[in-house]
Amino acid sequence: MTELVFLKLGGSLITEKNRRFAIRREVLTRLATEIAAARAAWPELQLVIGHGSGSFGHVAAQEHGFDPARGHSSPGGFAAISAAAAALNAIVRACLLDARIPAISLPPSASAIVENGTIVDLALAPYERLLAWGAVPLTYGDVTVCADRTNGSILSTEAVFHYLATHLNPNRLILLGQVEGVYAADPRMQRGLPPVIPEITPGNWEKVQAVLGGSHGADVTGGMRGKVAEMLALARAVPGLTIRVASGMRPGLVEQLLLNRAPSAGTAIHA
């Protein structure tokens, strides 16, 4: 049976977010191997893969004075952020290709238009045709132009996934990071790790967001609180969508998640 899954490789998972332009190559190579194994075990599995910008795009954004509220008025700084995000994407794509995953990069900056912080247009046909062909569209957190002002903005992978999901209707969405899921307290304020919240719904969101922290490294797209809020909104917008936040650091888990064999791993987000 065919199933469409969106998979995000978090920036904190595939890069060292506190070190400039530092890749976790061993982790990325292992993830690619596990994704390839899942595709081999389930040939009907369709994938859209996205990745965060980690110590590439986020660090470049900070270095060039990007303001999340006002955007970026400098074409030179904007171009530098774009180049950093694309450089990481090239590394991710190479690792996927080495694992014989037919990944084809689709940069959001090539077609996305944002108005009031929300994507109002993004080319869908390339995703649809690549999926029908058996290829794997690869996207990422990127810069974008704005319809309502004469400067640029930055799109998180979650924002791109949100737009794509409302049009492509995936069955599942998996967000992989360093952590085991969404914690019940800010880990930076605890001795030892707090418990993982098993599920987040509109009913408990107000309580959950009060304890969520931001990001442990450079992040101009809102940290964990912003990511979970984006995903909860998406769960409301796409009926039946299951979203799971889990760890990409545990060997073998990514393959099991893709094959739908780890129903209790991490944190489930649903409406």
Side-chain angles (χ1 to χ4, degrees), residues 53-270:
S53 283
S55 64
F56 285 70
H58 290 296
V59 169
Q62 288 189 339
E63 290 176 347
H64 292 275
F66 177 80
D67 185 333
R70 292 179 294 180
H72 209 309
S73 58
S74 164
F78 199 59
I81 299 168
S82 173
L88 176 57
N89 178 253
I91 296 171
V92 174
R93 183 179 64 236
C95 284
L96 294 173
L97 290 174
D98 285 346
R100 299 186 181 278
I101 297 168
I104 298 175
S105 293
L106 296 176
S109 55
S111 67
I113 302 294
V114 167
E115 188 170 351
N116 295 322
T118 301
I119 300 176
V120 293
D121 193 24
L122 186 149
L124 294 169
Y127 290 89
E128 294 168 336
R129 295 180 184 185
L130 288 173
L131 287 168
W133 192 23
V136 176
L138 175 65
T139 191
Y140 55 96
D142 197 7
V143 298
T144 183
V145 294
C146 301
D148 52 337
R149 58 189 188 214
T150 57
N151 61 7
S153 186
I154 289 180
L155 283 176
S156 68
T157 314
E158 285 79 9
V160 177
F161 272 6
H162 191 137
Y163 185 89
L164 291 174
T166 57
H167 293 82
L168 301 181
N169 295 308
N171 303 91
R172 292 182 289 132
L173 191 154
I174 302 167
L175 303 178
L176 298 177
Q178 276 189 283
V179 298
E180 295 292 331
V182 181
Y183 290 128
D186 189 335
R188 293 169 293 185
M189 307 299 292
Q190 302 284 314
R191 289 187 177 181
L193 291 177
V196 169
I197 301 170
E199 66 175 1
I200 297 174
T201 69
N204 69 353
W205 171 234
E206 184 174 348
K207 181 179 178 181
V208 167
Q209 69 174 328
V211 300
L212 288 185
S215 173
H216 289 249
D219 194 332
V220 294
T221 56
M224 180 60 82
R225 185 185 294 111
K227 290 171 173 54
V228 174
E230 183 81 37
M231 290 300 99
L232 187 57
L234 178 56
R236 288 167 159 165
V238 182
L241 176 65
T242 299
I243 302 170
R244 191 164 296 277
V245 181
S247 174
M249 297 298 289
R250 195 191 311 172
L253 181 59
V254 176
E255 180 181 352
Q256 294 303 304
L257 285 168
L258 288 173
L259 296 175
N260 212 8
R261 294 174 182 170
S264 62
T267 300
I269 301 173
H270 57 86

